[in-house]
């Protein structure tokens, strides 16, 4: 079901001759860019703390660091196995916090979700004593997408890092030739380490592993200096570590080349040989720079401020660090049952679907369709073991991801098996969807009666689940249609109306219900909950989530005027500073940009013919909620594996996947004068902004004015031009 909305535009002509032409400087940079897209990336964005209480919405309790950003600087390639990043504090989102002054190690994996940060390594001097920490200053620290450099002041060691898909290179310039040591802090990670090992393989090679949960991360490292000895403390135990002592006659600069594998040490060595081999640090760095440059150059922008271009290209970069590769260069990977497999696709992690199904996976579908196909095959492979397609955290949004990919022309995966497993998700107990029996019987998921509930009260998050399952049902109904399964198509489509069962017409809020059908009372729509009625949200923040049936939602209000009044209140009714949920922050009224559940709400005005109101909200969010704070490096909330970054990317460009399952994009007003998507086969999509206001007046696709606000995904398949007019 397409989401279309008729609109009357003023009759204006298309003046194609006014379109700007691109020129290139002699240094190879586009004439309208002072730097290359690669140079605009600031990998420190999102690492600084959010301190502005006007943005936060409350005064953080003493000792709290608001969950904002939680990103990391360091070296990685797009969707790589390796994210080589500095760690300043374990047990934090990404391990690196900008205000810190000590580095504990350089870990080889990262995500920004309080996990990973595996295999930390730190060069130390002969005088170093436990606990080992290298002091540093931002004055002698630098980074780019595949590079990180810092000077450890107390140890007098300069560090440079770079990486490939599955391997890392460390370069340590010691201040003294003697007493060179390297800490392998293998008993430590962001999660509990259950076991670890390290052993000397030859005069300059070591290998080992770190066991964290069900993951066993193996490594094979080659050092261009002779190893004297390895001293282990609490071998194999949590918080234990090993120190590699190098012989004193070795040179001041030491290079470590290190391969990783989730399969075994032999594959870690193979990954190192295949991807690094005899290449120098600078050669690997240069190759990584080209990979990132080629990727970032796929979207070219003109106009906008330097700050906007920095945030845009940084957001594009951060949108493609996750999901992460988990198969080796020979194709081996460990499946969900713990067995080693080798199949005709690359194996990836689950793509944080509760966060990223809203926008980031759609961006991946456009820019990296081959990776998208492999990610879906990886989900299917997990499903063959468990009987269900996995989700992440909440909802069943593989239904949206897989269906949306298929409808965008990505069909190089086992769609029949995917559909079979997604039906299991939607109908069978014990799998991806908790309380699915109750959902099917009642048409909603209830919550228990709790006296005086608080943020931490445990419930079913029944309202959020009902809304999300209803959208997932809609998504799967579209795939059922593609599969010719009319029975499930009709049933799932009917179920997609279940959102109405948690909409209280008396309060005009999505509201929790008891199993007997009664509304939960007392009811405070302002109060945020982690999992009682709502998932990390309050009633305001989820009450506009019906991306598949916005007209049906408006009908629940009785009129467009009442809907508009409620929507106005969402963005203007002040957040109560006494209501504190750590990861719900970055408020505009009751709306939270800092957490995902309401990220579709700013676009809701489109469905009552008021796109200019949506644009006013979007523009404020783009300008005031990204790249903020004293250093200009803070975000208004957690990036969540790139979802917040992807929200910025799409809105900066003037297109948004409002209903991510549907192969279409809501047109907004871009912040750039021109945007060019460079597609495969030499095709381009060009977006041109004409006019000096922010009020949308007309949309033209290939010279023809469209009836509505949505453009079809086919433009990314065929190429074309979108003219967005904001002048009368």
């Amino acid at each position: 079901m397409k989401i279309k909305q008729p609109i009357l535009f003023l009759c204006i002509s298309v003046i194609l001759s006014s379109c700007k032409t691109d020129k290139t400087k002699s240094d190879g940079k586009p004439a309208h860019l002072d730097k290359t897209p690669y140079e605009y990336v600031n990998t420190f964005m999102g690492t600084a703390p959010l301190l502005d209480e006007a943005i936060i919405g409350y005064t953080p309790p003493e000792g709290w660091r608001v969950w904002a950003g939680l990103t990391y600087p360091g070296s990685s390639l797009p969707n790589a196995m390796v994210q080589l990043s500095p760690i300043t504090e374990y047990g934090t989102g990404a391990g690196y916090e900008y205000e810190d002054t000590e580095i504990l190690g350089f870990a080889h994996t990262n995500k920004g979700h309080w996990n990973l940060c595996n295999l930390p390594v730190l060069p130390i001097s002969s005088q170093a004593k436990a606990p080992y920490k290298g002091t540093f200053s931002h004055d002698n620290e630098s980074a780019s997408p595949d590079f990180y450099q810092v000077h450890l002041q107390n140890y007098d060691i300069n560090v440079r890092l770079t990486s490939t898909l599955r391997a890392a290179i460390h370069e340590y310039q010691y201040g003294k030739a003697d007493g060179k040591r390297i800490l392998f802090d293998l008993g430590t990670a962001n999660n509990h380490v259950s076991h670890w090992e390290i052993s000397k393989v030859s005069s300059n090679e070591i290998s080992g592993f770190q066991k964290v949960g069900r993951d066993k991360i193996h490594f094979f490292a080659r050092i261009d200096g002779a190893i004297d000895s390895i001293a282990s403390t609490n071998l194999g135990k949590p918080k234990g570590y090993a120190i590699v002592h190098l012989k004193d006659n070795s040179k001041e600069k030491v290079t470590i080349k290190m391969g990783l594998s989730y399969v075994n040490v032999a594959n870690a060595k193979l990954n190192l040989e295949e991807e690094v081999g005899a290449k120098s640090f600078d050669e690997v760095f240069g190759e990584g720079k080209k990979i990132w440059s080629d990727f970032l150059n796929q979207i070219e922008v003109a106009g906008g401020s330097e700050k906007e271009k920095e945030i845009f290209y940084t957001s594009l970069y951060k949108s493609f660090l996750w999901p992460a590769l988990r198969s080796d260069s020979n194709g081996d990977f460990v499946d969900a049952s713990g067995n080693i497999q080798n199949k005709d696709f690359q194996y990836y992690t689950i793509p944080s679907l509760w966060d990223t199904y809203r926008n980031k996976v759609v961006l991946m579908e456009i820019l990296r369709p081959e990776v998208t196909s492999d990610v879906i095959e990886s989900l299917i492979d997990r499903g063959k073991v468990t009987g269900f397609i996995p989700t992440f955290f909440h909802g069943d949004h593989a239904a949206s991801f897989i269906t949306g990919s298929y409808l965008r022309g990505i069909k190089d995966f086992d769609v029949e098996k995917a559909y079979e497993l997604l039906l299991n998700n939607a109908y069978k107990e014990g799998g991806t969807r908790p309380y699915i029996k109750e959902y099917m019987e009642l048409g909603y998921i209830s919550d228990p009666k709790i006296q005086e509930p608080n943020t931490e009260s445990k419930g079913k998050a029944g309202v959020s689940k009902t809304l999300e399952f209803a959208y997932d049902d809609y998504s799967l109904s579209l795939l059922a249609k593609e599969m010719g399964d009319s029975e499930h198509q009709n049933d799932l489509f009917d179920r997609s109306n279940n959102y109405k069962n948690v909409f209280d017409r008396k309060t005009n809020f999505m509201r929790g219900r008891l199993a007997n059908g009664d509304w939960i009372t007392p009811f405070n729509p302002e109060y945020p909950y982690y999992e009682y009625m709502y998932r990390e949200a309050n009633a305001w923040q989820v009450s506009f989530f019906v991306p598949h049936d916005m007209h049906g939602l408006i009908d629940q209000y009785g009129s467009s005027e009442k809907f508009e009044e409620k929507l106005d209140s969402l963005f203007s009714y002040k957040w109560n500073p006494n209501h504190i949920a750590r990861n719900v922050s970055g408020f505009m009224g009751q709306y939270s940009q800092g957490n995902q559940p309401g990220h579709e709400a700013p676009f809701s005005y489109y469905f009552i013919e008021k796109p200019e109101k949506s644009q006013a909200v979007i523009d404020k969010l783009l300008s005031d909620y990204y790249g903020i704070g004293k250093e200009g490096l803070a975000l208004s909330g957690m990036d969540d594996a790139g979802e917040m970054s992807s929200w910025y990317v799409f809105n900066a460009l003037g297109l948004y996947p409002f209903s991510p399952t549907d192969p279409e994009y809501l047109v907004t007003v871009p912040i750039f004068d021109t945007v060019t998507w460079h597609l495969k086969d030499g095709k381009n999509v060009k977006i041109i902004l004409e006019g000096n206001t922010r009020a949308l007046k007309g949309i033209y696709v290939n010279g023809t004015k469209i009836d509505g606000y949505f453009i079809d995904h086919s433009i990314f398949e065929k190429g074309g031009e979108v003219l967005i007019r904001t002048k009368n």
Side-chain angles (χ1 to χ4, degrees):
M1 185 179 90
K2 298 283 185 179
I3 309 172
K4 295 296 182 185
Q5 174 81 328
I7 184 174
L8 296 177
F9 293 112
L10 296 175
C11 294
I12 51 179
S13 61
V14 180
I15 309 174
L16 295 176
S17 60
S18 66
C19 299
K20 298 178 181 179
T21 58
D22 293 337
K23 297 180 180 179
T24 303
K25 297 179 183 178
S26 59
D27 60 4
K29 299 173 186 176
H32 48 266
L33 291 180
D34 292 330
K35 296 184 286 189
T36 66
Y38 178 91
E39 292 169 331
Y40 274 113
V41 174
N42 185 342
T43 65
F44 294 100
M45 190 73 69
T47 65
L50 179 62
L51 302 174
D52 186 348
E53 294 181 8
I55 293 288
I56 297 171
Y58 54 82
T59 300
E62 187 176 354
W64 269 35
R65 189 184 196 268
V66 176
W67 288 351
L70 305 187
T71 64
Y72 55 90
S75 176
S76 186
L77 295 184
N79 303 111
M81 180 184 293
V82 170
Q83 297 86 34
L84 184 54
S85 55
I87 304 299
T88 64
E89 185 177 354
Y90 291 100
T92 61
Y96 181 94
E97 298 188 339
Y98 193 81
E99 64 271 29
D100 292 340
T101 58
E102 296 174 326
I103 289 176
L104 309 180
F106 302 103
H108 289 76
T109 65
N110 213 317
K111 181 187 177 186
H113 269 75
W114 297 275
N115 55 4
L116 302 181
C117 297
N118 301 115
L119 304 177
V121 176
L122 181 72
I124 57 178
S125 67
S126 58
Q127 295 80 28
K129 296 180 180 179
Y132 300 102
K133 301 176 181 180
T135 60
F136 77 106
S137 165
H138 297 304
D139 293 336
N140 202 341
E141 180 187 36
S142 59
S144 63
D146 62 319
F147 175 82
Y148 178 81
Q149 172 274 326
V150 69
H151 183 256
L152 304 180
Q153 297 166 327
N154 57 330
Y155 298 150
D156 192 19
I157 302 171
N158 192 67
V159 176
R160 295 204 308 162
L161 310 173
T162 192
S163 61
T164 64
L165 285 174
R166 305 174 181 88
I169 301 185
H170 302 236
E171 181 187 272
Y172 306 145
Q173 181 73 46
Y174 288 81
K176 295 181 180 180
D178 59 343
K180 294 186 296 298
R181 299 189 289 169
I182 303 169
L183 170 71
F184 281 74
D185 199 5
L186 299 179
T188 304
N190 245 7
N191 298 112
H192 174 73
V193 177
S194 59
H195 189 55
W196 59 274
E197 290 183 5
I198 188 171
S199 59
K200 184 178 177 180
V201 177
S202 71
S203 62
N204 70 327
E205 295 172 327
I206 57 175
S207 67
F209 67 83
Q210 185 183 64
K211 183 75 165 59
V212 180
R214 66 177 300 273
D215 286 334
K216 193 173 183 181
I217 307 98
H218 304 82
F219 70 91
F220 181 91
R222 183 172 294 123
I223 306 171
D224 69 344
I227 299 170
D228 184 51
S229 63
I230 300 177
S232 296
T233 300
N234 295 324
L235 178 63
K237 296 181 180 180
K239 304 303 179 184
Y241 56 87
I243 296 179
V244 175
H245 295 255
L246 301 181
K247 292 185 177 180
D248 286 343
N249 60 1
S250 59
K251 54 194 175 183
E252 288 87 351
K253 186 168 73 173
V254 174
T255 300
I256 304 175
K257 298 178 178 180
M258 186 166 164
L260 268 61
S261 170
Y262 283 74
V263 177
N264 53 39
V265 167
N267 277 16
K269 181 179 181 181
L270 176 66
N271 290 338
L272 179 62
E273 299 293 353
E274 290 288 326
E275 297 183 2
V276 178
K279 295 174 186 175
S280 69
F281 182 100
D282 289 337
E283 286 176 318
V284 172
F285 173 33
E287 290 175 358
K289 183 176 181 179
K290 184 179 187 307
I291 289 170
W292 272 116
S293 295
D294 289 346
F295 173 77
L296 295 167
N297 289 345
Q298 289 181 94
I299 302 180
E300 183 182 337
V301 300
S305 68
E306 289 296 288
K307 182 68 172 180
E308 286 170 333
K309 284 178 277 200
E310 177 189 68
I311 298 173
F312 170 75
Y313 281 113
T314 299
S315 297
L316 182 58
Y317 148 77
K318 289 188 181 296
S319 297
F320 283 86
L321 295 173
W322 197 265
L325 183 65
R326 286 294 180 262
S327 54
D328 293 325
S329 57
N330 62 359
D332 288 352
F333 65 90
V334 177
D335 69 11
S337 62
N339 295 319
I340 298 175
Q341 301 284 356
N342 192 303
K343 300 185 178 180
D344 59 351
F345 59 87
Q346 296 292 332
Y347 195 70
Y348 286 88
T349 59
I350 299 171
S352 299
L353 286 167
W354 190 65
D355 309 313
T356 64
Y357 86 96
R358 307 163 197 271
N359 48 44
K360 197 188 88 164
V361 296
V362 178
L363 195 58
M364 184 170 68
E365 290 161 12
I366 298 172
L367 294 179
R368 302 204 85 192
E370 69 290 345
V371 170
T372 302
S373 178
D374 284 348
V375 170
I376 294 173
E377 286 285 15
S378 301
L379 294 175
I380 295 170
D381 191 83
R382 291 177 174 89
K384 289 178 180 178
V385 174
T386 65
F388 301 90
I389 292 282
T391 189
F392 174 83
F393 191 66
H394 210 252
D396 181 21
H397 303 312
S400 174
F401 172 42
I402 293 174
T403 302
S405 297
Y406 190 82
L407 294 178
R408 288 180 175 85
I410 299 173
K411 301 181 178 181
D412 189 19
F413 62 91
D414 188 347
V415 64
E416 289 82 8
K417 189 63 178 179
Y419 180 60
E420 173 193 331
L421 293 168
L422 287 171
L423 285 178
N424 288 350
N425 288 13
Y427 288 94
K428 291 186 178 181
E429 294 184 87
T432 299
R433 296 200 196 187
Y435 317 111
I436 186 62
K437 185 173 184 291
E438 179 185 45
Y439 174 77
M440 290 190 292
E441 290 176 351
L442 298 181
Y444 67 93
I445 294 171
S446 67
D447 265 287
K449 177 70 174 179
I450 297 178
Q451 297 296 329
E452 298 181 1
N454 57 52
T455 300
E456 303 288 344
S457 294
K458 303 296 182 183
K460 301 178 184 176
V463 177
S464 291
K465 281 188 173 66
T466 300
L467 296 173
E468 293 180 16
F469 288 177
Y471 184 70
D472 299 328
D473 289 338
Y474 166 76
S475 300
L476 191 53
S477 75
L478 297 186
L479 188 56
K481 180 180 180 181
E482 294 294 315
M483 302 301 291
D485 183 356
S486 59
E487 180 179 354
H488 281 117
Q489 176 193 348
N490 294 332
D491 184 54
L492 289 163
F493 187 80
D494 288 343
R495 281 169 43 171
S496 74
N497 287 303
N498 282 345
Y499 73 89
K500 298 175 183 177
N501 297 330
V502 291
F503 186 83
D504 176 15
R505 289 190 178 218
K506 290 184 179 179
T507 63
N508 286 339
F509 282 110
M510 300 292 181
R511 182 174 175 182
R513 302 183 75 166
L514 301 174
N516 67 5
D518 291 346
W519 297 111
I520 290 176
T521 57
F523 174 59
N524 182 354
E526 299 178 44
Y527 200 89
Y529 297 99
Y530 284 132
E531 55 183 305
Y532 182 55
M533 295 191 288
Y534 312 105
R535 183 79 239 194
E536 298 183 9
N538 67 9
W540 281 99
Q541 291 152 8
V542 305
S543 288
F544 300 91
F545 180 80
V546 190
H548 58 294
D549 189 21
M550 288 299 291
H551 301 303
L553 175 62
I554 294 167
D555 289 342
Q556 298 298 300
Y557 284 81
S559 70
S560 295
E561 290 76 19
K562 289 182 179 179
F563 180 79
E564 181 178 7
E565 181 181 354
K566 191 73 167 206
L567 197 54
D568 288 344
S569 296
L570 171 68
F571 297 109
S572 61
Y573 185 58
K574 187 174 176 58
W575 179 263
N576 187 334
N578 294 318
H579 295 160
I580 299 175
R582 193 168 191 167
N583 56 335
V584 183
S585 63
F587 296 106
M588 182 188 297
Q590 292 291 309
Y591 172 78
S592 169
Q593 180 65 15
N595 208 27
Q596 282 71 29
H599 272 187
E600 81 297 329
F603 308 96
S604 298
Y605 287 108
Y606 273 80
F607 299 90
I608 53 170
E609 301 291 342
K610 299 289 180 68
E612 68 283 355
K613 280 192 156 186
S614 280
Q615 196 61 53
V617 173
I618 293 167
D619 284 346
K620 185 171 179 59
L621 294 172
L622 290 173
S623 65
D624 295 354
Y625 290 71
Y626 290 80
I628 55 181
K630 181 177 66 174
E631 300 89 359
L633 296 175
L635 298 178
S636 57
M638 182 178 171
D639 197 35
D640 273 314
E643 189 278 343
M644 181 175 281
S645 290
S646 295
W647 193 97
Y648 187 97
V649 168
F650 273 117
N651 284 288
L653 298 180
L655 301 176
Y656 193 78
F658 180 80
S659 173
T661 305
D662 289 292
E664 60 184 7
Y665 307 92
L666 182 67
V667 176
T668 63
V669 180
I671 62 176
F672 302 112
D673 296 336
T674 62
V675 174
T676 305
W677 297 67
H678 297 289
L679 309 174
K680 293 184 178 180
D681 303 322
K683 297 174 182 176
N684 294 323
V685 170
K686 192 161 190 175
I687 301 171
I688 302 168
L689 175 61
E690 186 179 276
N692 56 8
T693 77
R694 302 297 293 169
L696 181 63
K697 298 297 182 182
I699 305 165
Y700 296 78
V701 176
N702 295 327
T704 301
K705 180 181 170 184
I706 68 168
D707 180 20
Y709 298 118
F710 288 83
I711 62 173
D712 194 79
H713 177 76
S714 60
I715 195 167
F716 286 105
E717 298 169 342
K718 302 174 183 177
E721 182 177 278
V722 179
L723 177 65
I724 300 172
R725 278 197 166 152
T726 66
K727 67 179 182 179
N728 292 324

